[in-house]
Amino acid sequence: MEKSILYQVVGIVLGMLVLWIAPEFPSYFANVIVGNLIFWSSLLILTFKFLKPEVSLIRSKISKLTLSIFTGYLALHYFVYSIALEKLLTGIYGVLFHVSSPFLAMTYSPFYPSSPLTLFYNIILNPAIVGGFPPNYYFELSFYALSMGLVIATLVTANILKVLQYSSMLKRTKVIILAPLFGVIGGGSCCISIPILLAEAIPAANVVFFSPIGDTALFLAYVLLPPLTAIALKLNFDSMKPKIPKNFRISYGSLEQREKTSKEG
């Protein structure tokens, strides 16, 4: 294992350890903040090591359009998951507060005792950045939502830039048609194309978040939807790499055999 990756793995484990002992310490809040900062910063650095092609593409295509795609998706993601977290915590603790004046703060929800489930809750739900303004409009974002938003926004932006890159080669074809086609051409028939993902996954998330179908379904959507979306986007990006047909692939073994035969002849 490379040293750089080893450092991130150690950071992830250390962050989990700090969060595990948080319920046993007088300063639960401090432990939750420190533990999550260590955990999520380490995990994000490790994740972006595996997203080098996507990050490189974005850097090479920096423009107003690129920034608009990135910030636009990020804002949408944070809006949806802010509402989801507020609904989850309200379902657990009841109405948390009323907004009488504008505010911005960092808060947490205590979970006891120390256990694998408590550790999981602290990683997913704590701490939360909370802001609001009258009359009772507010947002609430956990480190989990903030981190996943950065990852997915990067993948969404990279995928769209890749589609636009290909569409510039085929000017007569519209992007909305090209996107699903490249998934098939690239051999990624099991992947979700960008238009389908944006049209289906995000509205599906909104249905889950705004429908009274129970806290369990909401929690599962809150936890599972971001990583599943990220995986689908990563697979889709990788599937758009051009593949050389088998007939045109060079077989070094056969070349060596031909050279050997020609020399013997």
Side-chain angles (χ1 to χ4, degrees):
M1 184 182 294
E2 295 181 10
K3 281 188 177 180
S4 58
I5 295 179
L6 181 61
Y7 292 149
Q8 272 78 66
V9 173
V10 171
I12 291 170
V13 174
L14 179 60
M16 293 175 66
L17 179 61
V18 174
L19 290 171
W20 178 276
I21 63 176
E24 311 302 328
F25 273 68
S27 182
Y28 196 125
F29 186 44
N31 275 55
V32 162
I33 291 178
V34 172
N36 270 291
L37 280 174
I38 297 173
F39 177 85
W40 285 111
S41 61
S42 300
L43 187 57
L44 277 176
I45 293 171
L46 183 61
T47 299
F48 279 103
K49 285 183 183 294
F50 294 97
L51 300 181
K52 284 184 179 180
E54 290 84 352
V55 174
S56 296
L57 178 61
I58 292 172
R59 285 179 176 175
S60 67
K61 302 285 185 181
I62 289 293
S63 64
K64 289 183 179 179
L65 175 62
T66 302
L67 294 175
S68 297
I69 295 171
F70 184 85
T71 56
Y73 177 81
L74 202 61
L76 176 62
H77 177 94
Y78 287 165
F79 172 74
V80 171
Y81 281 86
S82 170
I83 293 174
L85 180 58
E86 182 274 323
K87 285 184 173 291
L88 279 173
L89 294 178
T90 299
I92 296 173
Y93 294 102
V95 178
L96 300 177
F97 49 78
H98 294 282
V99 180
S100 57
S101 60
F103 72 94
L104 180 65
M106 185 175 287
T107 185
Y108 75 104
S109 301
F111 297 99
Y112 297 96
S114 294
S115 67
L117 184 59
T118 297
L119 172 64
F120 178 72
Y121 282 155
N122 277 326
I123 290 174
I124 299 298
L125 302 176
N126 280 325
I129 298 174
V130 183
F133 52 92
N136 296 331
Y137 294 110
Y138 53 91
F139 65 88
E140 192 163 1
L141 288 167
S142 66
F143 278 25
Y144 173 69
L146 290 169
S147 300
M148 290 305 304
L150 289 173
V151 172
I152 298 175
T154 299
L155 286 164
V156 167
T157 305
N159 271 274
I160 293 177
L161 289 177
K162 178 65 76 174
V163 170
L164 293 176
Q165 190 178 54
Y166 282 126
S167 69
S168 65
M169 301 174 189
L170 302 171
K171 295 180 180 179
R172 296 181 181 179
T173 310
K174 293 183 179 180
V175 174
I176 193 66
I177 298 175
L178 281 174
L181 284 178
F182 279 122
V184 177
I185 294 172
S189 58
C190 63
C191 303
I192 303 173
S193 68
I194 296 304
I196 293 176
L197 182 65
L198 296 179
E200 299 294 339
I202 293 175
N206 282 319
V207 169
V208 172
F209 294 151
F210 291 106
S211 299
I213 59 176
D215 292 335
T216 300
L218 176 60
F219 185 75
L220 289 175
Y222 182 85
V223 173
L224 296 179
L225 189 60
L228 289 176
T229 301
I231 291 170
L233 285 165
K234 174 61 177 172
L235 290 173
N236 190 72
F237 183 88
D238 291 342
S239 75
M240 286 191 285
K241 293 179 182 178
K243 292 186 177 180
I244 301 173
K246 290 183 178 180
N247 295 337
F248 292 95
R249 294 177 188 174
I250 298 174
S251 175
Y252 292 100
S254 61
L255 284 177
E256 290 176 359
Q257 184 63 36
R258 288 179 185 177
E259 288 177 3
K260 185 178 180 180
T261 303
S262 62
K263 288 179 181 179
E264 289 176 354

